[in-house]
Amino acid sequence: MAEPAISFQDVTRRYPQKAAAGDVVALQDIWLDVPQGAVTGIIGRSGAGKSTLLRMVNGLERPSSGKVIVNGHDVGAASDASLRAIRREVGMIFQHFNLLASRTVAENIALPLEIASEDPARIPARVGELIERVGLTAQASRYPAELSGGQKQRVGIARALATAPRVLLSDEATSALDPDTTRQVLELLQSINRELGLTILLITHEMGVVRDICSHVAVIEAGRIVEAGETYSVFSRPGHATTRSFLQGVTGVAVPHFVAGQLRDTPQDASAEAVVQVTFTGRHATDPMLARLTAERGVSVNILAGAIEEIGDKPFGSLIVGLPSGRLDESRRFLEEHGLMTEVLGYVG
């Protein structure tokens, strides 16, 4: 198995405060491997520790304990000279673009090459190649004030690629963009990952971004990784409440309000209906299993909410259904025997 591109090994980051207040712990006991060539998302709410984790990769933050290994280099232990070399292999895209207003598109992209003391004669060709890759050939001589938000982010991506990094970091790169522009930027990042083989580590608070681009995901809450793995596995079998709350916005699995207000922990009488979340994955994901449950077992199914879509190239769906409480065990066995997952959310009269 290939060594991970980035490895967080028991990483903790504390910020000392006045003695009476105690330290602020931004990250605690972080173990996480980012696979080579993968697009990995770190998702969490504001203040969860996402940005601190990302800044560990290029040495803008150093761990209080533990190690951050990037392409075989211990970032926290690196000397200034070694850290400069590591940073050449790590590009970064920012939420608010961070472009220099006094420089044109081409000049902004050239800046990292100038800082790295690249041969001036080689810079124009490299810049031209990058401008073409991000689709801004016609805007090469324009200034940031003349660009749309999506165009500014494309400049930021080209600039991050200037030194031919092996790792690309994305700090909420699409959160300031409209949905259509977000889709275009994500498609560009996917093509870069695919064509250049770059490892991409991105932080976001939007599970839709993870669904659309990430092969792997880690969920962070209060400075700890609470869940991590391949995106499809995490989406289909979320094990933590934070993950499930994020997923409600992208998989259509929220219980409708008119049902949620009536839910009880136990059935009130024999006519009660069990409210069940059914998750469709694997080879039966697109099969009409609920229709078969009705046709073969005579169980009536009340579909309350749901959606079926793709994560990567795999079908994934989640439905909220009502099943007769008296036939709940039989219904769940039937569905689970065919590879579906079920969870009882409660009962309604």
Side-chain angles (χ1 to χ4, degrees):
M1 182 179 294
E3 289 293 318
I6 305 166
S7 182
F8 298 90
Q9 301 176 2
D10 199 16
V11 170
T12 293
R13 180 66 168 106
R14 295 185 179 88
Y15 295 98
Q17 304 293 307
K18 293 180 180 179
D23 292 352
V24 172
V25 181
L27 297 173
Q28 188 162 352
D29 306 328
I30 300 291
W31 289 91
L32 180 68
D33 285 342
V34 177
Q36 291 278 359
V39 182
T40 298
I42 307 292
I43 187 164
R45 300 184 177 90
S46 296
K50 304 186 303 294
S51 294
T52 303
L53 190 70
L54 197 75
R55 289 162 62 88
M56 293 276 183
V57 178
N58 58 9
L60 295 177
E61 295 274 359
R62 304 245 183 163
S64 302
S65 61
K67 294 182 178 181
V68 180
I69 308 297
V70 179
N71 294 325
H73 304 290
D74 185 342
V75 177
S79 65
D80 289 344
S82 297
L83 190 56
R84 285 193 293 272
I86 292 170
R87 286 174 176 165
R88 281 182 62 92
E89 297 185 353
V90 180
M92 188 155 181
I93 311 165
F94 300 92
Q95 177 180 0
H96 296 296
F97 321 127
N98 288 12
L99 303 179
L100 296 179
S102 61
R103 281 183 167 242
T104 64
V105 166
E107 290 167 345
N108 267 283
I109 296 170
L111 183 60
L113 297 169
E114 295 168 6
I115 293 173
S117 300
E118 181 65 61
D119 181 353
R122 298 167 60 94
I123 291 178
R126 176 62 176 159
V127 169
E129 172 191 333
L130 292 166
I131 287 176
E132 183 176 358
R133 176 171 289 280
V134 299
L136 291 177
T137 302
Q139 289 78 29
S141 60
R142 293 186 181 178
Y143 290 88
E146 303 174 88
L147 304 177
S148 68
Q151 289 171 333
K152 290 176 183 177
Q153 195 56 282
R154 287 173 180 268
V155 177
I157 292 170
R159 180 184 58 191
L161 296 174
T163 58
R166 297 169 61 187
V167 171
L168 191 60
L169 306 179
S170 171
D171 183 3
E172 299 273 14
T174 60
S175 63
L177 305 176
D178 62 76
D180 189 54
T181 305
T182 292
R183 178 183 56 79
Q184 295 172 16
V185 169
L186 292 179
E187 288 175 352
L188 175 59
L189 290 176
Q190 281 183 310
S191 70
I192 288 168
N193 167 254
R194 182 173 58 250
E195 295 166 14
L196 301 182
L198 262 67
T199 300
I200 299 179
L201 180 63
L202 62 86
I203 62 172
T204 182
H205 62 274
E206 302 171 282
M207 205 56 134
V209 171
V210 175
R211 175 197 61 201
D212 292 343
I213 191 175
C214 297
S215 58
H216 295 73
V217 62
V219 182
I220 189 168
E221 177 75 12
R224 295 177 180 268
I225 299 293
V226 296
E227 192 156 9
E230 293 185 359
T231 301
Y232 190 82
S233 297
V234 171
F235 270 55
S236 60
R237 296 177 181 269
H240 194 275
T242 299
T243 310
R244 290 194 289 270
S245 69
F246 277 120
L247 284 172
Q248 287 182 359
V250 296
T251 58
V253 296
V255 178
H257 290 300
F258 74 91
V259 176
Q262 304 176 49
L263 278 180
R264 300 291 183 269
D265 292 335
T266 57
Q268 300 300 297
D269 54 49
S271 65
E273 194 172 70
V275 178
V276 179
Q277 179 175 318
V278 182
T279 303
F280 298 72
T281 63
R283 63 190 182 90
H284 290 294
T286 56
D287 292 350
M289 298 310 303
L290 295 177
R292 286 183 58 184
L293 176 62
T294 299
E296 297 178 21
R297 300 297 176 90
V299 176
S300 60
V301 179
N302 181 17
I303 297 178
L304 302 172
I308 297 185
E309 54 189 295
E310 282 192 346
I311 300 173
D313 59 352
K314 299 177 182 177
F316 171 86
S318 187
L319 296 178
I320 305 294
V321 302
L323 298 171
S325 60
R327 304 193 65 182
L328 176 60
D329 292 344
E330 173 191 358
S331 300
R332 294 185 70 185
R333 278 197 304 272
F334 177 87
L335 295 173
E336 291 172 4
E337 284 170 0
H338 290 85
L340 279 61
M341 292 173 287
T342 66
E343 179 183 359
V344 178
L345 304 179
Y347 298 84
V348 295

